[in-house]
Amino acid sequence: LLKARGLPRDEWPFSLDQIKRNIDKGRYRRLDRFQRDFFDLFDRARELSRSDSKLFEDATELQLAFIKERDTQCKGILVSTAFTAIENDVLEAVEKLRKSKMHQEAEIQRRESNDQEIEKQEGEVDLDSLNFDGIEYTIPSYAYISRTDDNHRAPPHIIRVERIFKTDTGEMMVRGKWVYRPHETLHLANRKFIENEVFITPFIDTVLAERLSGLCMVVSVKTSLHNVVEGVNPSDLYVCECRYLGKPRYFAKIKTWPFPEDEEKLK
């Protein structure tokens, strides 16, 4: 992740493996220095991740667990300035960082969204629906998009159709956000995916309607657990728990489903 971000190697924080090697070689003689390496690792992990990412949350949980274990094992036995770091101070600093990052992330997302907005061109006619090869596509809906590469074994792409229109030359087009399958993302090799998991993305595209190759459905994990989705083949029902933002191993857990109107139709 650090290499992908272009961070110079000499600015990388210690990894847990490096800290363990230092322990094995007896390099730590003071508790405060031992703690500092751990805290630097946790701080850097939060700085380099999104405020709503699992990495951000994991770094905080590990830091709090470190403090708890430090007090259990060392308090009353060692005298050290390390004990001045307490849970409340960590939580306060983390919350301050989270708010700052949330503001920055919202601004970045706004700019990215604006960059992808394309004004309606002269002569284009918006449509509410489209019948192609006997299948009715409406707004909004999830659809398969046939591939244009030579990888015939790979499954078709998925898009959330948000606009259907006819160009001034008579071509039928659909526009929407791509939904990525696991193999379309950059992720750690040991990352586990749930069955039929997909990821909502902010990537907007326009494709020819002739590439439409069927309907599918994408729902939240909560909906998949508590609602029976009727009229959809199980193989065409996908579950989404995270957004994928296009950067290496960059997933963000969805706290509130962004398309509540879709969920309401299933109740």
Side-chain angles (χ1 to χ4, degrees):
L1 176 59
L2 301 178
K3 183 178 180 180
R5 292 286 185 85
L7 194 70
R9 185 175 291 273
D10 58 0
E11 294 184 25
W12 292 13
F14 271 4
S15 68
L16 291 175
D17 287 339
Q18 288 172 303
I19 293 175
K20 184 179 184 303
R21 283 197 293 272
N22 286 344
I23 294 173
D24 293 340
K25 293 181 180 181
R27 290 174 176 168
Y28 292 116
R29 301 300 179 93
R30 290 171 47 176
L31 178 60
D32 59 331
R33 292 182 178 175
F34 175 60
Q35 176 174 279
R36 183 180 62 193
D37 280 351
F38 268 100
F39 281 19
D40 284 348
L41 173 63
F42 300 142
D43 287 342
R44 198 65 174 147
R46 284 189 289 264
E47 288 174 9
L48 294 171
S49 60
R50 281 182 59 92
S51 62
D52 56 359
S53 68
K54 190 173 186 301
L55 179 58
F56 190 99
E57 297 298 336
D58 287 349
T60 303
E61 288 184 21
L62 285 171
Q63 189 166 6
L64 295 177
F66 179 97
I67 292 174
K68 184 176 181 180
E69 190 65 20
R70 177 205 66 192
D71 291 348
T72 300
Q73 299 294 335
C74 304
K75 223 165 191 181
I77 300 175
L78 299 178
V79 176
S80 173
T81 58
F83 295 114
T84 59
I86 60 176
E87 287 189 10
N88 286 343
D89 291 339
V90 171
L91 291 173
E92 185 177 329
V94 167
E95 189 58 28
K96 183 177 180 180
L97 176 63
R98 189 196 306 275
K99 289 180 179 179
S100 174
K101 289 179 72 69
M102 286 175 66
H103 177 75
Q104 296 171 2
E105 290 158 2
E107 179 62 22
I108 291 172
Q109 187 168 342
R110 184 190 65 79
R111 289 201 302 267
E112 289 178 346
S113 178
N114 289 342
D115 289 343
Q116 296 192 64
E117 287 295 329
I118 298 178
E119 293 184 3
K120 180 178 177 180
Q121 301 297 310
E122 186 177 351
E124 291 179 350
V125 179
D126 285 322
L127 304 172
D128 294 327
S129 63
L130 168 68
N131 191 299
F132 185 74
D133 280 349
I135 300 175
E136 188 79 12
Y137 298 90
T138 58
I139 303 172
S141 61
Y142 293 92
Y144 293 120
I145 300 295
S146 61
R147 305 181 66 89
T148 57
D149 55 27
D150 296 327
N151 190 359
H152 302 299
R153 293 186 177 181
H157 303 297
I158 299 174
I159 197 170
R160 185 177 192 272
V161 179
E162 298 179 340
R163 185 186 176 207
I164 301 172
F165 63 97
K166 181 190 292 186
T167 68
D168 57 353
T169 59
E171 288 183 308
M172 303 299 295
M173 311 291 291
V174 295
R175 181 169 174 79
K177 293 186 177 73
W178 290 115
V179 178
Y180 279 9
R181 300 174 187 267
H183 74 271
E184 295 173 308
T185 69
L186 295 172
H187 56 268
L188 293 172
N190 61 355
R191 183 184 176 97
K192 303 297 183 183
F193 299 99
I194 58 180
E195 186 177 2
N196 269 19
E197 184 173 10
V198 293
F199 304 92
I200 292 171
T201 80
F203 310 132
I204 301 173
D205 206 352
T206 302
V207 298
L208 288 167
E210 64 187 35
R211 291 181 60 193
L212 291 167
S213 59
L215 290 169
C216 58
M217 175 63 72
V218 177
V219 298
S220 64
V221 172
K222 181 179 178 181
T223 295
S224 70
L225 293 175
H226 300 291
N227 293 275
V228 176
V229 182
E230 298 179 349
V232 180
N233 189 306
S235 63
D236 296 322
L237 181 63
Y238 298 89
V239 178
C240 180
E241 184 179 30
C242 299
R243 297 178 187 273
Y244 177 69
L245 303 175
K247 298 178 181 179
R249 299 179 288 279
Y250 211 34
F251 298 85
K253 200 157 190 175
I254 297 174
K255 296 180 180 179
T256 303
W257 188 247
F259 312 117
E261 67 277 11
D262 297 355
E263 305 275 83
E264 285 297 322
K265 295 177 183 178
L266 302 175
K267 294 181 180 179

